[in-house]
Amino acid sequence: MDSTKLLALSGSLRKESYNSAAIEALTLLSPENIEVHIYKDLGNLPLFNPDLDGEAVPAVSKLKMAIREAHGLIIASPEYAYGISGVLKNALDWLVSGEEFVSLPVALINTSPRASHAQAALREVVTTMSGIVVENACVSIPLLGSGLASDGIVEDIKMAEQLSRGLSELCAAIRAIELHKAMHATSV
């Protein structure tokens, strides 16, 4: 694998979101062989309706295609009322019945270390959907109240190192999974 393609989802629709800033910082920190694509259309998804699952809903098809094209996923979500943001939960609900998420390596970013309930819920949802939470790739950085945007995060040595390490760990896990698949395919 020459290049690693990662999809990043922010569970916040706020213009000045710390979660969005964290994943934008990842795009600035990523080396040339790692492409971090930020999916910006979660707010365009209709509310999940099982009656429409399997139908051609353009916004859902676009999300599923982006997931299929990615080697791994990065999720940054705020915590609302001790849970995952509604927009992110809605997106994940649309992905439950598909194969796109199965065995997909996932890194979680927490921008408020005191907010642990959403992270725990996110781990549970991702695991239930058969995604692989790469624990060494999960990062918690103290952005809440910092006023930092993506460029400020990159300039903060400690936060930049944490994000870079998480990115490196996610890519290492993806390479290990790909190697395992290739070895299994040749031994069958």
Side-chain angles (χ1 to χ4, degrees):
M1 177 184 331
D2 295 331
S3 180
T4 304
K5 295 179 183 179
L6 303 174
L7 183 67
L9 305 177
S10 172
S12 177
L13 298 177
R14 286 184 54 236
K15 185 177 179 182
E16 302 297 323
S17 162
Y18 288 123
N19 293 282
S20 297
I23 60 176
E24 287 167 10
L26 277 175
T27 66
L28 300 172
L29 293 166
S30 65
E32 281 186 27
N33 64 331
I34 300 173
E35 177 188 333
V36 180
H37 171 73
I38 300 173
Y39 192 85
K40 297 187 178 191
D41 292 329
L42 288 188
N44 294 332
L45 292 170
L47 292 176
F48 177 66
N49 179 346
D51 290 339
L52 298 177
D53 201 17
E55 303 263 333
V57 179
V60 174
S61 298
K62 182 179 177 185
L63 174 61
K64 288 184 175 190
M65 178 61 74
I67 295 277
R68 266 193 299 277
E69 292 175 352
H71 297 112
L73 181 64
I74 301 164
I75 302 174
S77 178
E79 180 171 295
Y80 295 144
Y82 281 2
I84 304 167
S85 70
V87 69
L88 181 58
K89 181 65 169 89
N90 184 55
L92 294 173
D93 287 344
W94 277 110
L95 299 169
V96 165
S97 66
E99 294 295 317
E100 300 83 12
F101 213 87
V102 175
S103 299
L104 185 67
V106 179
L108 305 177
I109 298 176
N110 183 359
T111 60
S112 176
R114 70 178 187 190
S116 60
H117 299 282
Q119 289 297 299
L122 206 44
R123 275 181 172 78
E124 184 70 25
V125 170
V126 167
T127 302
T128 299
M129 293 174 63
S130 300
I132 301 168
V133 176
V134 180
E135 291 299 335
N136 291 341
C138 296
V139 176
S140 184
I141 54 176
L143 282 178
L144 186 63
S146 71
L148 294 176
S150 57
D151 55 348
I153 296 167
V154 170
E155 291 170 7
D156 184 291
I157 294 169
K158 189 173 181 180
M159 283 192 233
E161 284 177 353
Q162 286 179 284
L163 288 171
S164 292
R165 180 187 45 78
L167 190 61
S168 177
E169 292 287 345
L170 179 60
C171 291
I174 291 168
R175 284 190 300 277
I177 290 167
E178 293 296 322
L179 180 61
H180 177 74
K181 285 179 185 175
M183 288 174 53
H184 181 68
T186 58
S187 67
V188 175

